[in-house]
């Protein structure tokens, strides 16, 4: 009897697995098609200076998937599936090419020191593919590397430290900026920072959310800012949703900010209209 129960349980488990992998396969097929058929679009979220209020310093590209039947699928859902299936390399390629194209298109409107941040997956980075993708794109669109910041999550770096470190060093040599994304969540030791040729640390929004609830997250943010700045890195805080958080982050040593309080991710056209459009004074140009 026990054996039968066990067998039934096994079957239920296998059924569940099969269902799960069938759903995943279906989504994978849909995503593959989406990459080829314009169902993906790029949103951008502006980044500002905290020390020179309202000064636009850059923007992060965030991919959006709106299926033909109008369904919105969050990147938090489909990026992990793309990573597991290897589709992520094609996705990174698509995002990279279209981001650089946008940069080329709007270059004359952008502040000279504007940086467009592009996320690359652990897969593309550790296999050294990111370099080829980005160098091909900037050559094709004649965009200078200094206008681009490559974002790599801290956990991607830690997963294959040796390969990633070399990739980062070569990218930096070419003149790209490099940000460690989701900093503080990836089980790294701050000692690794001395061996990484990065330019920006992006403090994860998990710490931002806790800034007002007492001292501990404040201490973490302060420590990251202090160590990061001592290595000469720029410190950006993510996920700022309230004015109070921005004030605290500034006091704790953060220089740049990204978050719903300042601006939500938006379509390129809206970004151009709101921040670069005619009649809009670009702070960087105002002083010249
Ligand atoms: P990320 O790179 O850390 O991006 C920041 C995420 O925080 C974005 O979520 C953004 O919409 C969200 N966010 C920004 N400000 C706030 C805020 O004030 N409050 C809250 N609660 N959230 C805020 P999104 O767009 O859903 O992207 C999720 C993750 O998916 C990204 O995290 C990134 O790891 C990945 N991703 C997004 N676009 C791409 C892409 O084009 N390529 C790759 N490889 N990964 C991407
Ligand atoms: Mg990012
Ligand atoms: Mg992040
Ligand atoms: Mg994230």
């Amino acid at each position: 009897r026990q054996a039968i129960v066990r067998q039934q349980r096994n079957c239920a488990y296998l059924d569940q697995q099969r269902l799960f992998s069938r759903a995943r396969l279906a989504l994978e097929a849909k995503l593959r098609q989406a990459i080829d058929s314009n169902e993906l679009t790029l949103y951008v979220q502006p980044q500002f200076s905290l020390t020179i209020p309202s000064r636009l310093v850059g923007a992060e590209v965030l991919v959006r998937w709106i299926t033909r039947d109008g369904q919105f699928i969050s990147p938090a859902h489909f990026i992990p599936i793309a990573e597991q299936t290897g589709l992520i390399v094609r996705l990174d390629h698509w995002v990279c090419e279209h981001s650089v194209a946008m940069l080329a298109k709007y270059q004359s409107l952008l502040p000279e020191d504007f940086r467009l941040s592009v996320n690359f997956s652990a897969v593309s980075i550790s296999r050294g593919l990111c370099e080829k993708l980005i160098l091909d794109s900037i050559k094709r669109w004649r965009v200078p590397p200094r206008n681009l910041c490559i974002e790599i999550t801290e956990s991607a770096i830690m997963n294959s430290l040796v390969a990633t470190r070399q990739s980062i060093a070569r990218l930096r040599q070419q003149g790209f900026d490099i940000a460690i994304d989701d900093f503080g969540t990836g089980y790294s030791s701050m000692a690794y920072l001395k061996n990484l040729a990065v330019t920006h640390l992006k403090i994860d929004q998990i710490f931002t959310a806790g800034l007002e609830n007492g001292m501990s997250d404040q201490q973490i943010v302060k420590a990251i800012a202090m160590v990061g700045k001592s290595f000469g890195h720029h410190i950006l805080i993510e996920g700022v949703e309230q004015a109070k958080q921005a004030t605290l982050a500034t006091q704790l040593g953060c220089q740049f900010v990204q978050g719903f309080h300042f601006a939500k991710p938006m379509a390129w056209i809206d970004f151009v209209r709101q921040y670069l459009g005619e009649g809009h004074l670009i702070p960087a140009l105002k002083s010249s």
Side-chain angles (χ1 to χ4, degrees):
R1 217 190 94 83
Q2 249 180 359
I4 291 169
V5 170
R6 208 178 301 134
Q7 205 182 1
Q8 278 172 343
R9 250 191 232 139
N10 257 343
C11 282
Y13 175 74
L14 282 177
D15 278 350
Q16 208 181 10
Q17 284 295 93
R18 229 172 271 139
L19 205 74
F20 179 68
S21 56
R22 213 184 292 148
R24 227 183 55 178
L25 274 175
L27 195 67
E28 184 197 343
K30 266 171 75 177
L31 179 59
R32 191 182 297 274
Q33 209 184 20
I35 297 172
D36 296 328
S37 63
N38 277 335
E39 284 180 33
L40 300 184
T41 49
L42 297 183
Y43 270 40
V44 276
Q45 185 178 29
Q47 299 169 330
F48 299 95
S49 168
L50 282 169
T51 48
I52 312 169
S54 83
R55 178 155 173 359
L56 179 75
V57 294
E60 177 177 11
V61 176
L62 295 160
V63 69
R64 294 288 176 263
W65 181 11
I66 301 156
T67 64
R68 253 179 250 152
D69 46 21
Q71 201 191 345
F72 178 92
I73 304 175
S74 161
H77 183 57
F78 70 80
I79 297 278
I81 289 172
E83 280 179 334
Q84 287 156 24
T85 55
L87 257 186
I88 192 69
V89 175
R90 286 182 56 194
L91 188 113
D92 280 348
H93 183 149
W94 191 93
V95 169
C96 175
E97 178 70 8
H98 286 78
S99 300
V100 175
M102 286 295 138
L103 202 49
K105 181 170 175 186
Y106 295 113
Q107 193 145 44
S108 64
L109 293 177
L110 293 164
E112 209 192 315
D113 56 355
F114 182 88
R115 265 174 207 74
L116 189 67
S117 290
V118 182
N119 293 285
F120 282 90
S121 71
V123 182
S124 298
I125 297 286
S126 65
R127 294 198 205 149
L129 298 168
C130 167
E131 281 168 78
K132 187 175 158 25
L133 295 184
I134 193 121
L135 287 172
D136 282 355
S137 291
I138 64 161
K139 226 185 198 167
R140 191 159 30 245
W141 293 100
R142 295 165 202 263
V143 164
R146 68 179 151 81
N147 287 137
L148 279 154
C149 179
I150 291 158
E151 287 197 12
I152 312 169
T153 63
E154 185 182 36
S155 48
I157 293 173
M158 297 315 293
N159 274 344
S160 52
L161 188 61
V162 177
T164 310
R165 183 165 57 211
Q166 290 165 350
S167 273
I168 288 174
R170 282 192 299 265
L171 285 163
R172 185 69 200 121
Q173 254 168 9
Q174 308 270 357
F176 297 100
D177 272 358
I178 298 160
I180 307 184
D181 201 358
D182 303 348
F183 192 82
T185 60
Y187 305 104
S188 78
S189 148
M190 287 216 198
Y192 284 112
L193 280 181
K194 71 175 180 212
N195 298 318
L196 291 171
V198 300
T199 53
H200 292 67
L201 303 184
K202 295 187 78 175
I203 299 179
D204 193 81
Q205 58 194 49
I206 203 167
F207 304 113
T208 316
L211 273 185
E212 289 161 281
N213 309 335
M215 289 305 284
S216 58
D217 283 333
Q218 291 183 21
Q219 302 297 4
I220 292 172
V221 169
K222 191 175 173 183
I224 293 174
M226 205 161 71
V227 175
K229 283 201 280 193
S230 76
F231 283 110
H233 305 329
H234 298 295
I235 313 296
L236 182 147
I237 186 147
E238 289 194 278
V240 169
E241 296 182 351
Q242 288 151 29
K244 186 80 207 300
Q245 295 168 336
T247 308
L248 283 168
T250 314
Q251 286 163 0
L252 297 168
C254 300
Q255 299 150 306
F256 302 140
V257 69
Q258 194 180 331
F260 295 169
H261 174 66
F262 294 88
K264 292 199 168 161
M266 60 188 83
W268 262 101
I269 190 75
D270 294 320
F271 174 68
V272 171
R273 234 180 256 141
Q274 277 187 53
Y275 294 95
L276 314 171
E278 213 155 285
H280 184 90
L281 278 182
I282 302 161
L285 298 179
K286 211 163 40 177
S287 56
S288 63

